[in-house]
Amino acid sequence: MVFFKYGLFFTIRSGYFFIRMAEYVSIYFIISDMIKDQKTRIIIIRLIWIITLFICSVGLYQYHISGLPSITSTLSESHVYLGTFLMFTFFILAGYIFVTKNVLEKIALLLTLPLMIYILFLSALRTGILSIIVGIIVFFVFSRKPIGWMVAVVLAIILILFGFEFLQNLQEYELGSAGFRNLERDLSTMGRFYIWYGTIVMLKQNPTILITGVGLSAFGLAVERYTPLFPGSGGAHNNYLHHLTETGMFGLAIFLYILFIFLRTSLKRSREPAQKDRALYYGYFCGLAALVFSGMSQETFSVQNAHGNFLGYFFIVTSLVFSKPKNFYDETENEIS
């Protein structure tokens, strides 16, 4: 079996990436400990906003001046990171609009959101484009308001009638090079199906992996003989299949449970009238729902190279949202204006 054949190497490699995973998770506790008051919390959110504007500016330069077909900005050499960052941050900043009392800041944020969507399209990350649509639908579905449900139905109908045609012709609308046309012939899409199939075959032939896993970041070496056409594949291009292979059923169960806790807690707090920042929790809930959807074709929550650093950013944002300064309810509204 491939796991035992390379057992020592996998053990050392997994140990290294386990440390990396621990470092990313520790960010949550470090940032939470840093936030002593609401002012600090708002300053960090505003810093994320400023960084987002800078990233978008670089993206505009890359596409309109440098002439790149798909942009990556400053985050990574891969467009995947940029698209995922914008998709998640979009909902966080949207929630912050309802937290700040500064009218000018609200207006500036409202202008930032369509810019972020535009840059997301230019990034050519198809999963990110679809996921932000899913997040917006989730926003209306869980709004607990009849008007929200009606909007969700209307959006679903529009997507069914016109959405596919729109996504097929993004280049004609000058919205980047993301290709939704002829997906059955698309190498990226077919490559994902090929890797998923090879992974399932591997798991069937080596059922003990379902219990032990192959170790963090060992997916590529473990599945290599089952996907000879993609020998350099570092991930399953599916968060759930990826975690199942690397950490086994128990690891996958823990991963899903953590996601469930974040989703349940953020939704619950967003519905508490006493929560002055409940809109921020709701934005996080919708953003996380979009990330969960994107996980079906990406390794969003992992130390896999394409998304390793994003996990750190995810825990930064999570700590900002869930942290509760001791004097939060005693502070005046001017402190967040």
Side-chain angles (χ1 to χ4, degrees), residues 76-114:
S76 169
E77 295 180 354
S78 172
H79 71 129
V80 175
Y81 198 133
L82 173 62
T84 306
F85 170 86
L86 291 173
M87 173 190 64
F88 184 50
T89 307
F90 172 88
F91 293 101
I92 302 303
L93 295 182
Y96 177 61
I97 291 177
F98 298 93
V99 175
T100 179
K101 304 301 179 181
N102 189 312
V103 177
L104 292 179
E105 188 171 35
K106 287 179 181 289
I107 295 174
L109 282 164
L110 284 172
L111 294 176
T112 301
L113 297 183

Side-chain angles (χ1 to χ4, degrees), residues 1-11 14 202 206 208-209 211-216 218 221-223 225-226 245-246:
M1 183 197 292
V2 68
F3 176 73
F4 292 106
K5 183 178 180 181
Y6 300 104
L8 179 60
F9 177 79
F10 280 163
T11 301
S14 297
M202 180 189 68
N206 304 277
T208 56
I209 292 179
I211 305 299
T212 64
V214 298
L216 292 177
L221 292 176
V223 79
R225 59 176 293 195
Y226 300 94
T245 303
E246 292 195 343

Side-chain angles (χ1 to χ4, degrees), residues 147-159:
I147 185 65
W149 299 336
M150 292 175 60
V151 172
V153 172
V154 171
L155 282 177
I157 294 174
I158 292 175
L159 287 173

Side-chain angles (χ1 to χ4, degrees), residues 34-97:
M34 286 176 53
I35 301 176
K36 304 298 183 181
D37 52 43
Q38 177 66 357
K39 185 176 181 180
T40 302
R41 190 181 186 214
I42 296 304
I43 287 175
I44 298 176
I45 293 176
R46 287 172 173 170
L47 179 61
I48 290 176
W49 179 25
I50 293 173
I51 292 173
T52 301
L53 288 174
F54 174 75
I55 290 170
C56 290
S57 299
V58 174
L60 289 174
Y61 173 83
Q62 289 180 333
Y63 187 78
H64 290 286
I65 297 180
S66 297
L68 298 179
S70 62
I71 62 177
T72 60
S73 191
T74 58
L75 289 173
S76 169
E77 295 180 354
S78 172
H79 71 129
V80 175
Y81 198 133
L82 173 62
T84 306
F85 170 86
L86 291 173
M87 173 190 64
F88 184 50
T89 307
F90 172 88
F91 293 101
I92 302 303
L93 295 182
Y96 177 61
I97 291 177

Side-chain angles (χ1 to χ4, degrees), residues 11 121 168 192 216 226-227 236 246 248 261 336:
T11 301
F121 274 91
Q168 281 188 318
R192 279 169 163 78
L216 292 177
Y226 300 94
T227 56
E246 292 195 343
I261 291 298
I336 57 174

Side-chain angles (χ1 to χ4, degrees), residues 243-259:
H243 278 294
L244 176 62
T245 303
E246 292 195 343
T247 64
M249 293 186 296
F250 298 106
L252 176 62
I254 293 173
F255 167 65
L256 294 176
Y257 178 72
I258 293 173
L259 290 180

